Amino acid sequence: NAGVTQTPKFQVLKTGQSMTLQCAQDMNHNSMYWYRQDPGMGLRLIYYSASEGTTDKGEVPNGYNVSRLNKREFSLRLESAAPSQTSVYFCASRPSGGTEAFFGQGTRLTVV
Amino acid sequence: TQLLEQSPQFLSIQEGENLTVYCNSSSVFSSLQWYRQEPGEGPVLLVTVVTGGEVKKLKRLTFQFGDARKDSSLHITAAQPGDTGLYLCAGVSGGSYIPTFGRGTSLIVHP
């Protein structure tokens, strides 16, 4: 059982480059989330998707866009990367009626 | 805005010692969760508490939810090196089911 799979695991970008972080879950969960984790800041919500076809902004959405491609996949796009977006990005999913969030292993992104 | 304040931020102790981590908020939560995160991995749920005053035990870990459902604590008895990690509390409000995380407590247990 793969759970939540994120790709890539590591990425280095130059300022101004764009990229898409991929996330897929095989647990048939309705809700999916993107968080970023910075030292001393815990996890902060970027965007979430309560169900297929819907997305909403979280606490720190500026500079990001998301796509809920289908029930399994939820991608995060950086259109023009900035050094402030250097972080570890986590995707998570949650089943309907449950409160536990299941996390992927994270993508460590460095913007130089 | 961090709605959940965790303390202490860092904790370095010897094997066999006891410790308590606190998670405080001015907001009321419908449930509160504790996650543990190891280096290079995503957080993994340890427990969810939903009732004010609730106490849950998981082997040497004891979790308590405050009566007013605004705060929680995690107590570890006789800590072991395997307990080393980042402990995160997360509050869930109303029907949103969106976990809001504290900044975390980094625990190191020395052999």
Side-chain angles (χ1 to χ4, degrees):
Chain A
N1 225 356
V4 179
T5 303
Q6 290 183 237
T7 55
K9 284 188 167 52
F10 300 94
Q11 184 71 49
V12 178
L13 288 179
K14 293 183 179 179
T15 297
Q17 286 185 319
S18 62
M19 79 160 295
T20 299
L21 281 62
Q22 307 287 351
C23 174
Q25 51 92 9
D26 62 1
M27 297 175 284
N28 202 37
H29 290 172
N30 281 336
S31 299
M32 296 186 74
Y33 310 87
W34 276 105
Y35 288 89
R36 62 178 286 173
Q37 185 173 38
D38 302 293
M41 295 297 293
L43 287 156
R44 292 183 292 171
L45 183 67
I46 306 171
Y47 271 93
Y48 67 98
S49 171
S51 61
E52 184 180 354
T54 68
T55 60
D56 286 287
K57 294 179 180 179
E59 181 186 353
V60 288
N62 290 346
Y64 305 96
N65 285 300
V66 290
S67 295
R68 184 73 182 267
L69 303 168
N70 47 55
K71 193 170 186 178
R72 289 187 65 247
E73 298 172 289
F74 188 36
S75 62
L76 178 72
R77 183 160 178 84
L78 286 70
E79 290 291 350
S80 179
S84 61
Q85 294 178 305
T86 293
S87 187
V88 182
Y89 291 86
F90 286 98
C91 176
S93 69
R94 182 185 63 78
S96 294
T99 56
E100 178 178 359
F102 294 81
F103 285 83
Q105 289 193 307
T107 295
R108 185 174 294 275
L109 175 67
T110 302
V111 183
V112 297
Chain B
T1 304
Q2 293 282 351
L3 298 179
L4 284 162
E5 296 293 333
Q6 279 189 247
S7 61
Q9 190 175 354
F10 300 101
L11 205 48
S12 179
I13 61 173
Q14 293 296 125
E15 183 176 2
E17 292 185 23
N18 302 332
L19 67 116
T20 302
V21 177
Y22 299 93
C23 178
N24 296 297
S25 175
S26 58
S27 302
V28 175
F29 293 104
S30 56
S31 66
L32 198 136
Q33 302 173 320
W34 286 92
Y35 289 79
R36 180 166 166 264
Q37 183 179 18
E38 297 191 27
E41 301 289 330
V44 176
L45 183 72
L46 294 173
V47 76
T48 300
V49 285
V50 297
T51 305
E54 182 177 4
V55 177
K56 279 192 174 179
K57 292 192 175 183
L58 188 66
K59 296 184 181 178
R60 294 175 294 99
L61 278 61
T62 302
F63 305 87
Q64 186 162 8
F65 201 13
D67 291 340
R69 290 187 288 132
K70 293 182 178 181
D71 54 84
S72 181
S73 63
L74 157 61
H75 182 79
I76 301 179
T77 303
Q80 299 177 357
D83 295 326
T84 294
L86 180 68
Y87 289 82
L88 295 153
C89 66
V92 177
S93 299
S96 72
Y97 293 108
I98 300 171
T100 300
F101 285 84
R103 295 174 190 255
T105 294
S106 180
L107 171 66
I108 298 174
V109 182
H110 301 278

